[in-house]
Amino acid sequence: MKITELLTKHTIKLNIESKEKENVIDEMVTVLDKAGKLNDRQAYKEAILNRESQSSTGIGEGIAIPHAKTASVINPAIAFGRSKDGVDYESLDGQPAHLVFMIAATEGANNTHLEALSRLSTLLMREEIRKQLLEAESEDAIIDIINQHDKDDDEEEEEAAPAPAGKGKILAVTACPTGIAHTFMAADALKEKAKELGVEIKVETNGSSGIKHKLTAQEIEDAPAIIVAADKQVEMERFKGKRVLQVPVTAGIRRPQELIEKAVNQDAPIYQGSGGGSSAQSDENEAKGSSGGIGNAFYKHLMSGVSNMLPFVVGGGILVAISFFWGIHSSDPNDPSYNTFAAALNFIGGDNALKLIVAVLAGFIAMSIADRPGFAPGMVGGFMATQANAGFLGGLIAGFLAGYVVILLKKVFVFIPQSLDGLKPVLIYPLFGIFITGVLMQFVINTPVAAFMNFLTDWLQSLGTGNLVLMGIILGGMMAIDMGGPLNKAAFTFGIAMIDAGNYAPHAAIMAGGMVPPLGIALATTIFRNKFSQRDREAGITCYFMGAAFVTEGAIPFAAADPLRVIPAAVVGAAVAGGLTEFFRVTLPAPHGGIFVAFITNHPLLYLLSIVIGAVVMAIILGIVKKPVTDK
């Protein structure tokens, strides 16, 4: 497929008006939307901004390549925008961006589309092409320039054929989170610079369409050094015992000569292996997090645990809720409402799935820190926390403890000969990791943490109505501030911890608060139709279902489009709902389920009333603060 089948006259804007990054992104999204390439403009923009939050796609040399692969794209497309004055795009070299290529890939983009999108990024590394694009006077001229330099599939395939293995050949691996632009730009920069320096190189790319030009075992064996320029996990164990330079993918784009010279001179540490599978960073960097900041690392590891725990919470919680159809005590053989099937559901969901959540939380936190060797010590530590009634707090401590214990073990046992490296993941790390983590949990951590959890539970149960309402307001508001972000997840995790500790009041406020943002949006688009576009009103219908199912993220497209109005309204409405549930003394033992588990609360009607009032409050605020819109 030719690049110009994706880049057309309808997706070219020769004069970008904005000077700031976010406004430029909005302009380019509008170009794609008007060309009929998107089915959800706001969702696509949100995906673009999410990619930018990982690292700027302003790669230097006056180029920016914002990109996203999402279901909000109807057909794969490329939009081109040009700014003669330049845009402050937070580029790697600090220079303004003059050429902006926005790549829109469908969630199920096929290899043909992805290869064309990727090929564009390599063309832009050539100075003569950038100069021609800056001087082009029309859309047709832009198309002609791209066609002139775009190779057909046969030429591309011929160039992509692996070079023969040779002694002293430098190897490289490139990878970025989306695998569309940076992966191939880094590969192209390394190949061009190697050619200029007279160095033989082979580059493996880990792109959206899979691994291309995969390095062979013989090539790895012969190579003096390997460059790994990656921002996502790639297979690293194959490089054990070799000199490996591990850098971000942007370093491959910006500093190819430095990397190649270091590889030629073997100025790189010997990779010791992790005993696990794949990683794009050293153990030290992995422990610190991709950005190196302690706060970011803590959040990254915590979210790894929480995200892997959620399926157990949702699946187990809903099974328990279903069992309550036969009665709250229908799983008790001594109760008149006893039902065999209800007891089985309660046993599967409550006594098994939900009993695993603390161990799973701890295991995946430890795995995020120390890769696979951390998983077993983390699971064991989390299970010990469950057994000792140390709850979620004990599980969090166990996860971080196990992860850093294994990191320490990797440093301690670095002296073991390479011939015995196979013993580390199957014997040394699990044996000493489980032992050290277990001893510390048993004799140091579990007892005081269990005592603290009991104190916290007793304190919450002793709160008067006024304090309970304040707590409900805070928890409900937290669910709506970032709608699935850190504050939302912190409140949700606290609610699960309280359920685990036997206190069901906080989670009632949390679930009510989390349901309000999408339900409030849905009501507002229905009642105040002149304040929303036709597309927004259609999306608002979906929000009824997402809100009812406790999917707070359903409100994100609206919040992203109008944050100054939507987010405050959502926080107020969610806080009202959370406060009301506590005022009515509602308790909720199910961790998930939305309105479908309302019947298992102690006051179902009051619980639903709290949610409805919160959603109505949010809708009314939006109706007041939003301005009327006119559909074209």
Side-chain angles (χ1 to χ4, degrees), residues 128-179:
E128 70 271 19
I129 297 178
R130 298 197 299 270
K131 183 178 179 181
Q132 291 173 16
L133 292 172
L134 278 172
E135 296 173 351
E137 297 182 355
S138 67
E139 290 88 348
D140 288 327
I142 298 289
I143 298 294
D144 290 341
I145 292 167
I146 298 296
N147 276 330
Q148 178 184 348
H149 296 282
D150 187 20
K151 294 180 174 64
D152 62 30
D153 293 340
D154 293 336
E155 291 173 314
E156 190 71 19
E157 195 62 38
E158 183 180 347
E159 183 182 11
K167 192 74 173 176
K169 179 166 59 177
I170 299 299
L171 303 180
V173 179
T174 62
C176 68
T178 53

Side-chain angles (χ1 to χ4, degrees), residues 474-475 478-479 486-496 507 510:
I474 294 172
L475 291 174
M478 287 176 68
M479 293 297 292
L487 290 175
N488 175 285
K489 288 292 191 294
F492 181 76
T493 303
F494 175 76
I496 300 300
H507 205 67
I510 288 164

Side-chain angles (χ1 to χ4, degrees), residues 261-275:
E261 288 176 347
K262 282 187 174 183
V264 169
N265 297 327
Q266 300 189 44
D267 182 12
I270 294 177
Y271 182 70
Q272 300 295 335
S274 64

Side-chain angles (χ1 to χ4, degrees), residues 117-126 156 184-185 188:
L117 295 171
S118 304
R119 205 159 60 246
L120 169 69
S121 63
T122 64
L123 294 181
L124 295 177
M125 295 305 297
R126 296 167 58 180
E156 190 71 19
F184 299 94
M185 297 187 79
D188 197 60

Side-chain angles (χ1 to χ4, degrees), residues 161-172 191 194 198-204 213-216 218-227 242-243 260 263-264 266:
K167 192 74 173 176
K169 179 166 59 177
I170 299 299
L171 303 180
K191 288 187 288 187
V199 175
E200 188 179 6
I201 191 171
K202 177 180 177 181
V203 184
E204 172 186 300
H213 320 318
K214 188 173 180 65
L215 306 180
T216 67
Q218 187 61 53
E219 287 171 332
I220 294 170
E221 177 67 25
D222 294 341
I226 298 104
I227 300 167
K242 301 296 295 184
R243 295 192 178 276
I260 291 170
V264 169
Q266 300 189 44

Side-chain angles (χ1 to χ4, degrees), residues 404-560:
Y404 287 106
V405 162
V406 173
I407 290 292
L408 179 62
L409 290 173
K410 290 181 179 182
K411 296 179 182 297
V412 169
F413 289 99
V414 71
F415 65 87
I416 290 182
Q418 184 177 345
S419 59
L420 299 177
D421 265 0
L423 291 176
K424 291 180 182 179
V426 298
L427 174 62
I428 294 174
Y429 297 150
L431 173 61
F432 288 97
I434 290 173
F435 171 71
I436 296 172
T437 302
V439 167
L440 291 174
M441 291 298 295
Q442 179 74 13
F443 295 106
V444 180
I445 295 168
N446 277 342
T447 300
V449 172
F452 175 76
M453 292 298 293
N454 289 333
F455 165 77
L456 181 60
T457 302
D458 293 341
W459 176 72
L460 288 172
Q461 291 174 343
S462 68
L463 289 178
T465 301
N467 288 328
L468 277 175
V469 170
L470 178 60
M471 180 184 70
I473 289 172
I474 294 172
L475 291 174
M478 287 176 68
M479 293 297 292
I481 289 178
D482 52 5
M483 303 179 191
L487 290 175
N488 175 285
K489 288 292 191 294
F492 181 76
T493 303
F494 175 76
I496 300 300
M498 289 300 97
I499 289 178
D500 186 57
N503 189 317
Y504 305 132
H507 205 67
I510 288 164
M511 196 178 297
M515 293 164 65
V516 162
L519 289 176
I521 288 288
L523 283 175
T525 57
T526 301
I527 299 171
F528 305 102
R529 296 177 64 82
N530 66 321
K531 303 294 181 78
F532 297 90
S533 67
Q534 176 64 29
R535 178 172 293 179
D536 286 343
R537 293 196 295 270
E538 292 171 356
I541 296 174
T542 305
C543 284
Y544 278 113
F545 300 97
M546 300 186 79
F550 184 41
V551 182
T552 315
E553 290 83 349
I556 285 178
F558 294 87

